[in-house]
Every structure is written in structure tokens, then in C-alpha cells.
Amino acid sequence: LKGFIAEAKQITEEMKNFAPGTQDFKTRDAKLTKLKASLQAVKETAEREGQAKYAEIMASFYKEVQDMTRNVAKYKGINYVVRVSNEAVDSLDPEGVMAAMARPVVYSDPSVDITNTVVYNLNLAYQKAGGQMAKNPAPGAAATGEAPAPATPAAPRAAANPGLPK
């Protein structure tokens, strides 16, 4: 891309030396047009490749989340895990109200929410693989490091981790 851009700048500078309509001007203008088309094609290819890579990364991430959610759910004896939004409904946001009314889950008991345990264990697995713990994990997710890891289940201490599901 840098080569295309440098060449385009050079041609643009050369065109300043010729009057519009002359053969030299037209030749350079045609070159510049071809360069722009090539640059656009390279840009579109890069965007497609980037989108494909992003989809691949997100699919891998989602599989990791699914696997960890399954492990935590099995450990806790949970048969179904549903996505729930705890966002408050704002009466000044009509679209938000309609979206809230369309949610399949109207109420969920916070004591069965396994989100913090799943996030904690994903972070733990990531750390063991050589990564670093997320800077801002879910509140209470890893307050003292006592959350259960599905591979070696241990009940979390409720008093030490009030934010973790029991």
C-alpha cells in the first residue's frame, strides 16, 4: 500500500508540470486512475480478509465461552443456561423499552447467575496458558481467587465472595 501511495504522489507531482489535455498529462492521469483502482482492490481484499479473521477469532472465543459455561453448569447441576440482560429499562428510550419487552426472560434469580464463575474460570484458563488476567473482570469474579474451577471443583466461600453464585 505504501508503494501505491508513493507512486500516486509522484504521478500527481509530475502532472503539475503538464497542462491538462496534453498527452503527458493524459498518460499520467490514466496511470493514476489505474493505481486508484488497484489500491481500491487491495483495500477491499484486506477488508474481506480482516472480516474473515475477525469471524474466526469470535467463533473460537464463543466456543471457549460455550465450553466453560457447559463445565460450570454441569458442576452446579444446571440443565439450561440462558442469556439474560439485567439492564434497567429507561422509559425515555422507546426503542430500549420495546427491546426489553421482547426479551424472552422477564425475570431471573440472581443467585443462579453463573456469569462471574464462567468469567473467572475463562480468565484462569487464559492465565494458565500464559496470558494475563483481564484488567476489569466482572465485579466479584476473582475477588479472592476462591471461585471453583470446573476441572477441580471446589465450592466458593460465600463470605469471601459475596458476588459469586453459590
Side-chain angles (χ1 to χ4, degrees):
L1 291 177
K2 288 180 181 179
F4 280 122
I5 293 169
E7 190 174 352
K9 285 181 180 179
Q10 180 185 347
I11 292 171
T12 303
E13 285 299 315
E14 289 175 7
M15 288 174 69
K16 291 178 182 177
N17 297 325
F18 302 106
T22 63
Q23 187 59 37
D24 289 329
F25 185 91
K26 289 178 182 179
T27 302
R28 283 164 180 78
D29 188 47
K31 271 186 173 179
L32 189 59
T33 301
K34 285 181 184 179
L35 274 174
K36 286 179 183 179
S38 296
L39 183 61
Q40 184 64 30
V42 168
K43 177 185 171 194
E44 289 173 6
T45 299
E47 285 175 352
R48 278 193 306 275
E49 289 172 358
Q51 289 170 349
K53 186 68 176 169
Y54 177 76
E56 181 183 325
I57 290 168
M58 291 307 292
S60 174
F61 170 72
Y62 188 69
K63 180 162 180 6
E64 289 178 25
V65 170
Q66 277 184 312
D67 291 346
M68 186 61 69
T69 301
R70 180 185 55 250
N71 292 343
V72 172
K74 282 184 177 183
Y75 170 70
K76 293 183 172 281
I78 297 172
N79 294 321
Y80 299 96
V81 176
V82 295
R83 186 176 312 193
V84 177
S85 174
N86 294 322
E87 293 180 30
V89 179
D90 181 0
S91 63
L92 299 177
D93 177 16
E95 289 180 19
V97 171
M98 295 309 290
M101 291 176 63
R103 292 180 194 149
V105 178
V106 177
Y107 169 78
S108 65
D109 183 348
S111 70
V112 296
D113 184 351
I114 63 171
T115 304
N116 290 338
T117 305
V118 170
V119 169
Y120 173 82
N121 284 291
L122 284 168
N123 278 326
L124 186 64
Y126 183 65
Q127 268 187 317
K128 286 180 181 178
Q132 294 180 354
M133 184 75 84
K135 290 183 182 178
N136 297 316
T144 64
E146 298 291 329
T152 55
R157 294 188 337 216
N161 292 313
L164 292 177
K166 297 177 184 172

